[in-house]
Amino acid sequence: MAHHKARQKEIITIVVLICCICISGCSANKYEEHKREAFALDTIITLTAYGGKNVDKAIDEAIYRIQEIEEHMSTTIDDSDISKINKNAGKAPVTVHKDTLYVLDKALEYCSMSNGMFDITIYPLIKLWDIKSEHPRVPSAEEIQGALKYVDYKKIVVDRDKNSVYLMEKGMGIDLGAIAKGYAADEVTRIFKKYGIEHALINLGGNIMAIGNKVDGSKWNIGVQNPRTSKGNEGYFAVLEVSDSAVVSSGDYQRYMVKIYEETGKRYHHIFDPKTGYPADKGIIATTVISPLSIDADALSTCLFVMGYEGFNIIDELEGVDALLVSTDKKVTLSKKFSVPINITDREYGYKK
């Protein structure tokens, strides 16, 4: 009898062990890492998701969706909606996809909210400065004033019944570069959630979306890029702890006239002030916005950069949105209701008093 009980105990122990192995194996499979890189939206995109058999399918669908959004909204694709709108400026309305209409509507909300400090009709200035060209130059004051005549978001006519967009003057142009990546990140999030993915990190060239927590249950640690590191665009000066949030940064370090900066110390960057026609110059070198939706974080990070400290007037009125900005003297200012755990890791940076 004693031998039978011992044998029974041994069997129970083995069964428990087998169950543990099974659970461990199933868990490993459930949270297997799937990572993919691609080039789209003029940047390197990295999608990292944790899950089983449907994850690769979800990533495939997400990359296709990103490319679809790019085909609708790029200024460098000849038959995109935006290119067609720009070519028909002052001539005729253009019927656009519902994606384009949605992003335009969101962009126009921020144009109005910022009193035109965020303005998607800034394309004439982008073309004039041509920061990304091999031989960029600083335009003359006359050239800048000439381009500024065509910057006015109030001259965009949207007919939502016909899904059409019209620019009232020839010479005008739309650029959605400050908001389209945010929409793309939100669409990837939607697709991942449709496939039941609970843990993922989306990186669209610095536009970060964290889905859920990390597999171990802890929050994602997102480094905020150091805008003045001696290693070029490497390194970070602070770390944010987030879950189910978008983190988007803007700064004068991303694209600027390197040769002119090396020769003169003046940094002509790619984020323009729609009122002056020059790169925004409010004493700010970087901004970061954290919000539930990436499309909002994308637009708001640009708003805050162009507006400087005044931009906090917009941020502080919005629910669930946190933001920080970094001034030229490396002082960090947080929005009033900032609730995200943050750790400044670089001693050169500190909070503004």
Side-chain angles (χ1 to χ4, degrees), residues 143-156:
E143 288 175 306
I144 291 170
Q145 288 304 312
L148 276 174
K149 292 189 298 184
Y150 302 108
V151 178
D152 186 354
Y153 74 94
K154 294 178 181 177
K155 292 180 181 178
I156 302 174

PDB file of all heavy atoms in Angstrom, residues 143-156:
ATOM      1  N   GLU A 143      12.925  85.478 -52.403  1.00  0.00           N
ATOM      2  CA  GLU A 143      12.414  84.154 -52.772  1.00  0.00           C
ATOM      3  C   GLU A 143      11.497  83.595 -51.683  1.00  0.00           C
ATOM      4  O   GLU A 143      10.442  83.012 -51.974  1.00  0.00           O
ATOM      5  CB  GLU A 143      13.580  83.184 -53.010  1.00  0.00           C
ATOM      6  CG  GLU A 143      14.363  83.435 -54.276  1.00  0.00           C
ATOM      7  CD  GLU A 143      15.576  82.518 -54.379  1.00  0.00           C
ATOM      8  OE1 GLU A 143      16.383  82.489 -53.427  1.00  0.00           O
ATOM      9  OE2 GLU A 143      15.684  81.824 -55.409  1.00  0.00           O
ATOM     10  N   ILE A 144      11.903  83.804 -50.441  1.00  0.00           N
ATOM     11  CA  ILE A 144      11.103  83.296 -49.319  1.00  0.00           C
ATOM     12  C   ILE A 144       9.761  84.014 -49.262  1.00  0.00           C
ATOM     13  O   ILE A 144       8.712  83.372 -49.086  1.00  0.00           O
ATOM     14  CB  ILE A 144      11.876  83.459 -47.997  1.00  0.00           C
ATOM     15  CG1 ILE A 144      13.063  82.494 -47.981  1.00  0.00           C
ATOM     16  CG2 ILE A 144      10.968  83.205 -46.792  1.00  0.00           C
ATOM     17  CD1 ILE A 144      14.036  82.715 -46.854  1.00  0.00           C
ATOM     18  N   GLN A 145       9.764  85.316 -49.439  1.00  0.00           N
ATOM     19  CA  GLN A 145       8.506  86.059 -49.450  1.00  0.00           C
ATOM     20  C   GLN A 145       7.616  85.615 -50.604  1.00  0.00           C
ATOM     21  O   GLN A 145       6.386  85.544 -50.473  1.00  0.00           O
ATOM     22  CB  GLN A 145       8.782  87.567 -49.550  1.00  0.00           C
ATOM     23  CG  GLN A 145       9.346  88.181 -48.280  1.00  0.00           C
ATOM     24  CD  GLN A 145       8.463  87.953 -47.067  1.00  0.00           C
ATOM     25  OE1 GLN A 145       7.250  88.173 -47.117  1.00  0.00           O
ATOM     26  NE2 GLN A 145       9.064  87.490 -45.976  1.00  0.00           N
ATOM     27  N   GLY A 146       8.239  85.296 -51.739  1.00  0.00           N
ATOM     28  CA  GLY A 146       7.470  84.814 -52.885  1.00  0.00           C
ATOM     29  C   GLY A 146       6.779  83.495 -52.594  1.00  0.00           C
ATOM     30  O   GLY A 146       5.618  83.280 -52.957  1.00  0.00           O
ATOM     31  N   ALA A 147       7.483  82.586 -51.896  1.00  0.00           N
ATOM     32  CA  ALA A 147       6.895  81.290 -51.557  1.00  0.00           C
ATOM     33  C   ALA A 147       5.818  81.429 -50.491  1.00  0.00           C
ATOM     34  O   ALA A 147       4.802  80.727 -50.509  1.00  0.00           O
ATOM     35  CB  ALA A 147       7.982  80.334 -51.083  1.00  0.00           C
ATOM     36  N   LEU A 148       6.037  82.354 -49.547  1.00  0.00           N
ATOM     37  CA  LEU A 148       5.086  82.543 -48.451  1.00  0.00           C
ATOM     38  C   LEU A 148       3.706  82.966 -48.936  1.00  0.00           C
ATOM     39  O   LEU A 148       2.695  82.708 -48.261  1.00  0.00           O
ATOM     40  CB  LEU A 148       5.619  83.589 -47.461  1.00  0.00           C
ATOM     41  CG  LEU A 148       6.592  83.093 -46.384  1.00  0.00           C
ATOM     42  CD1 LEU A 148       7.129  84.274 -45.576  1.00  0.00           C
ATOM     43  CD2 LEU A 148       5.914  82.091 -45.457  1.00  0.00           C
ATOM     44  N   LYS A 149       3.637  83.583 -50.091  1.00  0.00           N
ATOM     45  CA  LYS A 149       2.341  84.018 -50.638  1.00  0.00           C
ATOM     46  C   LYS A 149       1.400  82.843 -50.849  1.00  0.00           C
ATOM     47  O   LYS A 149       0.180  83.017 -50.899  1.00  0.00           O
ATOM     48  CB  LYS A 149       2.542  84.754 -51.965  1.00  0.00           C
ATOM     49  CG  LYS A 149       3.237  86.099 -51.843  1.00  0.00           C
ATOM     50  CD  LYS A 149       3.198  86.867 -53.143  1.00  0.00           C
ATOM     51  CE  LYS A 149       3.925  86.132 -54.263  1.00  0.00           C
ATOM     52  NZ  LYS A 149       3.989  86.919 -55.526  1.00  0.00           N
ATOM     53  N   TYR A 150       1.974  81.654 -50.997  1.00  0.00           N
ATOM     54  CA  TYR A 150       1.160  80.479 -51.304  1.00  0.00           C
ATOM     55  C   TYR A 150       0.934  79.570 -50.090  1.00  0.00           C
ATOM     56  O   TYR A 150       0.407  78.469 -50.233  1.00  0.00           O
ATOM     57  CB  TYR A 150       1.816  79.685 -52.434  1.00  0.00           C
ATOM     58  CG  TYR A 150       2.012  80.497 -53.686  1.00  0.00           C
ATOM     59  CD1 TYR A 150       3.289  80.907 -54.080  1.00  0.00           C
ATOM     60  CD2 TYR A 150       0.933  80.881 -54.464  1.00  0.00           C
ATOM     61  CE1 TYR A 150       3.475  81.674 -55.224  1.00  0.00           C
ATOM     62  CE2 TYR A 150       1.094  81.649 -55.604  1.00  0.00           C
ATOM     63  CZ  TYR A 150       2.374  82.041 -55.975  1.00  0.00           C
ATOM     64  OH  TYR A 150       2.550  82.799 -57.109  1.00  0.00           O
ATOM     65  N   VAL A 151       1.357  80.049 -48.926  1.00  0.00           N
ATOM     66  CA  VAL A 151       1.187  79.247 -47.708  1.00  0.00           C
ATOM     67  C   VAL A 151      -0.022  79.772 -46.936  1.00  0.00           C
ATOM     68  O   VAL A 151       0.045  80.827 -46.301  1.00  0.00           O
ATOM     69  CB  VAL A 151       2.455  79.295 -46.827  1.00  0.00           C
ATOM     70  CG1 VAL A 151       2.241  78.505 -45.538  1.00  0.00           C
ATOM     71  CG2 VAL A 151       3.658  78.765 -47.589  1.00  0.00           C
ATOM     72  N   ASP A 152      -1.122  79.041 -46.995  1.00  0.00           N
ATOM     73  CA  ASP A 152      -2.338  79.439 -46.281  1.00  0.00           C
ATOM     74  C   ASP A 152      -3.338  78.283 -46.295  1.00  0.00           C
ATOM     75  O   ASP A 152      -4.014  78.048 -47.291  1.00  0.00           O
ATOM     76  CB  ASP A 152      -2.964  80.681 -46.917  1.00  0.00           C
ATOM     77  CG  ASP A 152      -4.151  81.212 -46.118  1.00  0.00           C
ATOM     78  OD1 ASP A 152      -4.548  80.549 -45.130  1.00  0.00           O
ATOM     79  OD2 ASP A 152      -4.678  82.279 -46.482  1.00  0.00           O
ATOM     80  N   TYR A 153      -3.404  77.569 -45.176  1.00  0.00           N
ATOM     81  CA  TYR A 153      -4.279  76.387 -45.108  1.00  0.00           C
ATOM     82  C   TYR A 153      -5.757  76.733 -45.309  1.00  0.00           C
ATOM     83  O   TYR A 153      -6.570  75.868 -45.658  1.00  0.00           O
ATOM     84  CB  TYR A 153      -4.087  75.671 -43.775  1.00  0.00           C
ATOM     85  CG  TYR A 153      -4.715  76.370 -42.589  1.00  0.00           C
ATOM     86  CD1 TYR A 153      -5.997  76.041 -42.165  1.00  0.00           C
ATOM     87  CD2 TYR A 153      -4.024  77.355 -41.886  1.00  0.00           C
ATOM     88  CE1 TYR A 153      -6.573  76.682 -41.073  1.00  0.00           C
ATOM     89  CE2 TYR A 153      -4.582  77.991 -40.803  1.00  0.00           C
ATOM     90  CZ  TYR A 153      -5.864  77.659 -40.402  1.00  0.00           C
ATOM     91  OH  TYR A 153      -6.434  78.294 -39.334  1.00  0.00           O
ATOM     92  N   LYS A 154      -6.116  78.012 -45.092  1.00  0.00           N
ATOM     93  CA  LYS A 154      -7.517  78.413 -45.262  1.00  0.00           C
ATOM     94  C   LYS A 154      -7.949  78.407 -46.728  1.00  0.00           C
ATOM     95  O   LYS A 154      -9.138  78.529 -47.033  1.00  0.00           O
ATOM     96  CB  LYS A 154      -7.734  79.795 -44.650  1.00  0.00           C
ATOM     97  CG  LYS A 154      -7.569  79.805 -43.129  1.00  0.00           C
ATOM     98  CD  LYS A 154      -7.736  81.189 -42.550  1.00  0.00           C
ATOM     99  CE  LYS A 154      -7.538  81.190 -41.039  1.00  0.00           C
ATOM    100  NZ  LYS A 154      -7.630  82.547 -40.448  1.00  0.00           N
ATOM    101  N   LYS A 155      -6.975  78.258 -47.614  1.00  0.00           N
ATOM    102  CA  LYS A 155      -7.296  78.205 -49.046  1.00  0.00           C
ATOM    103  C   LYS A 155      -7.383  76.772 -49.570  1.00  0.00           C
ATOM    104  O   LYS A 155      -7.320  76.538 -50.773  1.00  0.00           O
ATOM    105  CB  LYS A 155      -6.255  79.008 -49.840  1.00  0.00           C
ATOM    106  CG  LYS A 155      -6.338  80.509 -49.560  1.00  0.00           C
ATOM    107  CD  LYS A 155      -5.314  81.291 -50.355  1.00  0.00           C
ATOM    108  CE  LYS A 155      -5.423  82.788 -50.031  1.00  0.00           C
ATOM    109  NZ  LYS A 155      -4.396  83.586 -50.774  1.00  0.00           N
ATOM    110  N   ILE A 156      -7.498  75.820 -48.638  1.00  0.00           N
ATOM    111  CA  ILE A 156      -7.783  74.432 -49.020  1.00  0.00           C
ATOM    112  C   ILE A 156      -9.296  74.238 -48.963  1.00  0.00           C
ATOM    113  O   ILE A 156      -9.922  74.509 -47.939  1.00  0.00           O
ATOM    114  CB  ILE A 156      -7.118  73.430 -48.057  1.00  0.00           C
ATOM    115  CG1 ILE A 156      -5.605  73.637 -48.003  1.00  0.00           C
ATOM    116  CG2 ILE A 156      -7.455  71.998 -48.460  1.00  0.00           C
ATOM    117  CD1 ILE A 156      -4.906  72.762 -46.963  1.00  0.00           C
TER     118      ILE A 156
END
